[in-house]
Amino acid sequence: MAVDGEVVRAVGEADEPGWEVDPDDEWGVAVITTVGRQLRLRREAVGMRVCDFARAVGYGEDLVYKVEAGKRIARREYLERADEVLGAGGLLAAAWEDVKRVRYPRRVRELAKLEAQAVEIGVYESISVNGLLQTPEHARALFEAWQPAYSEETLERVLAARMARQSVFDRSPAPALSFVLEEAALRRRVGDTMVCRRQLERLLEVGRLRNVTLQVMPTSSGAHPGLSGRIEILKFADGTAMGRSDGAYNGRPTSDPKQLRILELRYGTIRAQALPPAETLTFIEHVLGET
């Protein structure tokens, strides 16, 4: 809210915007350290103490110290408010262009980059709803069940990262997306009844998109090549491809043509055994009716 033109936020330290920096992410650490130094030098140049700056931007002193020390990743609104308070003429706000590239964990950034470049994505998911298809509530329930438990701050960070990957649905031209989910993933109770219903409704929504092929593998279908775990295949505009499977090549990504052919054979066999798209939507509607 605004009081006499000043932004005031009634938040505790644990709720303040920002994320902890992954110490193993060297590039991310370098970016956040540089941005923090710029913020500190600008604040000192105008002769503003940390306590006064914190009050002016509407965040806690602890957060200000951590951001300036490169220990926390500032969110966009923090940088924009700091820019206004320090009269930086847009220079601090512009730092968001660098910060947003490292705000998520490195592994997720690398995956999101590949997904953003792919013209075709095929995924078989053996035990859960794929992350690209999850609602925020479903994803949160999964992260809350993780052990060892995430801190609230880390949970918010990984949740935001997972949801950001779903920008793949907004791309133009749209990539061709194919998903095969096990029936058990639909019936597993993740969250309360409303969370389960919204997840099923989301699957129906996505399954009706023209660039998406969604299939369910019924439990009654018997053995198939995906029982050893997830399979992912990404194809790119230049004709190259990348694949990964939990049950092959130690789960590592591969672009080797021979290994890719094996993964494509397995994925093709899985798709052939799964319910056709139209029957899949009817099946999901039936599960929704039982929920």
Side-chain angles (χ1 to χ4, degrees), residues 54-225:
R55 187 180 305 110
V57 296
Y59 296 112
E61 292 182 35
D62 183 59
L63 177 67
V64 173
Y65 279 117
K66 287 181 178 179
V67 168
E68 292 186 355
K71 302 297 185 182
R72 290 283 291 272
I73 304 174
R75 292 188 179 182
R76 185 172 190 169
E77 58 267 27
Y78 181 96
L79 293 172
E80 291 178 343
R81 183 59 181 158
D83 193 280
E84 295 175 6
V85 169
L86 300 176
L91 293 177
L92 295 178
W96 175 248
E97 292 303 312
D98 296 318
V99 172
K100 71 180 183 181
R101 295 186 177 92
V102 300
R103 57 182 171 161
Y104 303 132
R106 180 175 56 186
R107 185 182 65 82
V108 177
R109 290 202 311 267
E110 293 170 351
L111 176 59
K113 182 179 180 180
L114 289 173
E115 291 171 343
Q117 295 172 344
V119 295
E120 294 183 36
I121 300 176
V123 182
Y124 161 72
E125 196 71 60
S126 60
I127 57 176
S128 63
V129 174
N130 184 260
L132 291 176
L133 302 174
Q134 293 173 7
T135 64
E137 297 83 7
H138 182 99
R140 177 181 290 277
L142 289 175
F143 288 136
E144 288 177 344
W146 193 258
Q147 291 294 331
Y150 286 121
S151 67
E152 185 61 28
E153 190 171 85
T154 301
L155 188 150
E156 293 298 334
R157 187 184 183 198
V158 295
L159 177 60
R162 176 156 296 181
M163 293 301 102
R165 286 175 52 208
Q166 296 185 8
S167 63
V168 68
F169 290 104
D170 302 323
R171 284 173 47 194
S172 180
L177 305 175
S178 168
F179 301 94
V180 182
L181 305 177
E182 285 287 344
E183 175 185 345
L186 306 183
R187 297 188 179 279
R188 185 178 303 279
R189 190 172 184 84
V190 177
D192 60 25
T193 299
M194 187 56 66
V195 170
C196 294
R197 290 187 60 84
R198 286 174 177 167
Q199 180 60 69
L200 292 169
E201 290 168 352
R202 173 59 178 166
L203 292 177
L204 290 172
E205 176 186 348
V206 172
R208 295 188 178 105
L209 297 176
R210 288 183 295 173
N211 64 311
V212 175
T213 301
L214 178 62
Q215 295 177 262
V216 166
M217 179 70 76
T219 305
S220 60
S221 65
H224 61 75

Side-chain angles (χ1 to χ4, degrees), residues 17-69:
W19 293 289
E20 295 293 338
V21 180
D22 180 358
D24 296 325
D25 185 356
E26 295 181 2
W27 180 50
V29 169
V31 169
I32 300 309
T33 299
T34 300
V35 171
R37 185 182 300 116
Q38 291 174 345
L39 285 162
R40 177 175 58 80
L41 291 175
R42 189 77 190 189
R43 175 182 58 75
E44 292 175 347
V46 300
M48 184 173 282
R49 298 179 302 172
V50 169
C51 59
D52 297 326
F53 174 73
R55 187 180 305 110
V57 296
Y59 296 112
E61 292 182 35
D62 183 59
L63 177 67
V64 173
Y65 279 117
K66 287 181 178 179
V67 168
E68 292 186 355

Side-chain angles (χ1 to χ4, degrees), residues 124 180 215 217 221-226 231 233 261-275:
Y124 161 72
V180 182
Q215 295 177 262
M217 179 70 76
S221 65
H224 61 75
I231 296 175
I233 300 174
R261 279 197 294 272
I262 292 174
L263 295 183
E264 289 178 344
L265 174 62
R266 293 179 181 179
Y267 187 60
T269 303
I270 291 170
R271 292 189 66 185
Q273 286 187 234
L275 293 177

